[in-house]
Amino acid sequence: MSVLRPFDKLPMLNSAVLLLVGSDEAIQQKLAEAILREKRSFNISVHLATSLPLPSERDHLRPRIDMVVFMIDIKHKYSLKNVETSLAHVDANFFLGKVCFLVTG
């Protein structure tokens, strides 16, 4: 299982890939749907994960990830711990404008 690195793959023209990481899949799905409903002049795809690392057997199939959104649910006891554990699997270069934290609940 590998660390997410921002420059492992070349970017695609006029497209972006978001990775939503969090323990509440219903909230993730709602955010993904809201993002995809917005009008835009570029392609966007949203991937959901409950935690990191992502399975390594899919590394060659996984698209370049342009932004990681960590979702913390203050109502869920282990949500913050899940995000803290996942942070160890993100390269430090992602924190230069490619990571954000979203607190829900």
Side-chain angles (χ1 to χ4, degrees):
M1 297 188 206
S2 61
V3 171
L4 286 179
R5 298 191 196 299
F7 304 112
D8 278 351
K9 298 180 180 185
L10 294 174
M12 300 282 290
L13 187 62
N14 294 324
S15 67
V17 177
L18 297 178
L19 176 63
L20 304 180
V21 179
S23 55
D24 189 338
E25 294 177 28
I27 300 277
Q28 285 178 308
Q29 189 65 39
K30 285 181 184 178
L31 179 59
E33 290 169 0
I35 290 169
L36 294 173
R37 274 195 305 267
E38 288 295 313
K39 291 183 181 181
R40 58 199 177 279
S41 60
F42 57 91
N43 295 322
I44 193 163
S45 61
V46 181
H47 296 264
L48 309 178
T50 54
S51 63
L52 295 179
L54 298 173
S56 61
E57 61 269 10
R58 293 181 32 212
D59 280 348
H60 66 286
L61 300 174
R62 185 181 314 126
R64 169 192 160 104
I65 296 172
D66 297 299
M67 183 170 198
V68 180
V69 179
F70 289 101
M71 300 178 69
I72 303 166
D73 182 359
I74 59 173
K75 294 181 199 172
H76 190 271
K77 186 175 182 179
Y78 299 106
S79 181
L80 179 60
K81 185 66 175 166
N82 180 41
V83 168
E84 288 175 340
T85 304
S86 295
L87 285 173
H89 301 284
V90 179
D91 185 84
N93 289 323
F94 254 102
F95 294 96
L96 301 172
K98 296 180 183 296
V99 168
C100 76
F101 296 89
L102 177 65
V103 178
T104 64

